[in-house]
Amino acid sequence: MIIKSLDQLNQVTLNIIKKINKEDCILLFGEIGTGKTTLTRALINNLQNQNKQVETEVLSPTFNIVYEYEISELKIMHYDLYRLKTEKDVQQLGIFNQSSKSIKVIEWAEIIKVKPDDRLEVYISHEREQNVRKIYFKGFGNWKGFNAI
């Protein structure tokens, strides 16, 4: 799928929201500047709008590693694993701890070796035009066959 505007990206996140569950995992892959945080911001802000909450500023958690958002009965954990070096670093965060009843959105998911069964993988890449991105979705478990259109 080719994304040429923030409106198109918003529509993609609205389609993700239709399927999202309280314990889902969305793994984001792509180079610096492809729009992983922008996609996450649109997802969180659209969830806030649907739940009649004020939009919050959604920043990249590169230095903090994780930001948490409470939206109605949903808890969203937004991770950025860019600074982590090993799978052991990821395991120490307890991201996939069974007691964690939250939606996990994870940037720089390449470092994760053992991924959850139910997940949506989102691959974002630059296109030749400056503000154009290519997005590819791969669903597993409950997300198998997901279509963002």
Side-chain angles (χ1 to χ4, degrees):
M1 157 181 274
I2 300 296
I3 300 293
K4 294 183 177 183
S5 69
L6 288 176
D7 287 338
Q8 283 181 302
L9 185 65
N10 262 331
Q11 188 56 53
V12 166
T13 63
L14 289 171
N15 290 333
I16 292 171
I17 288 170
K18 289 177 187 173
K19 180 149 179 66
I20 208 158
N21 188 321
K22 289 183 181 183
E23 297 179 41
D24 278 338
C25 185
I26 299 172
L27 304 179
L28 304 174
F29 301 85
E31 296 175 0
I32 289 175
T34 54
K36 296 178 296 293
T37 301
T38 302
L39 184 141
T40 303
R41 180 179 304 117
L43 179 78
I44 291 170
N45 288 161
N46 281 323
L47 275 167
Q48 290 169 327
N49 288 331
Q50 285 185 359
N51 285 280
K52 297 181 180 14
Q53 291 184 352
V54 175
E55 285 185 10
T56 57
E57 187 173 7
V58 177
L59 303 172
S60 174
T62 301
F63 296 104
N64 293 17
I65 298 179
V66 64
Y67 286 137
E68 182 178 317
Y69 301 88
E70 298 276 342
I71 303 171
S72 193
E73 295 178 16
L74 297 175
K75 179 195 260 185
I76 299 178
M77 303 299 288
H78 176 202
Y79 293 90
D80 185 324
L81 306 183
Y82 182 75
R83 296 185 317 130
L84 301 185
K85 303 295 181 218
T86 67
E87 173 73 8
K88 185 177 180 182
D89 293 338
V90 174
Q91 291 171 354
Q92 289 176 340
L93 287 174
I95 296 171
F96 305 116
N97 184 336
Q98 293 294 352
S99 65
S100 177
K101 303 276 189 224
S102 63
I103 296 168
K104 293 156 238 12
V105 180
I106 305 170
E107 298 186 37
W108 298 101
E110 292 86 348
I111 194 170
I112 300 171
K113 303 296 181 225
V114 179
K115 297 172 179 71
D117 294 335
D118 296 317
R119 68 186 184 276
L120 178 63
E121 294 184 359
V122 182
Y123 298 85
I124 309 172
S125 60
H126 295 281
E127 287 294 290
R128 288 182 187 213
E129 290 180 55
Q130 185 176 5
N131 293 319
V132 178
R133 301 293 186 267
K134 181 189 248 181
I135 299 183
Y136 171 73
F137 299 91
K138 189 169 184 183
F140 297 86
N142 294 337
W143 285 92
K144 192 168 185 130
F146 173 74
N147 188 350
I149 299 174

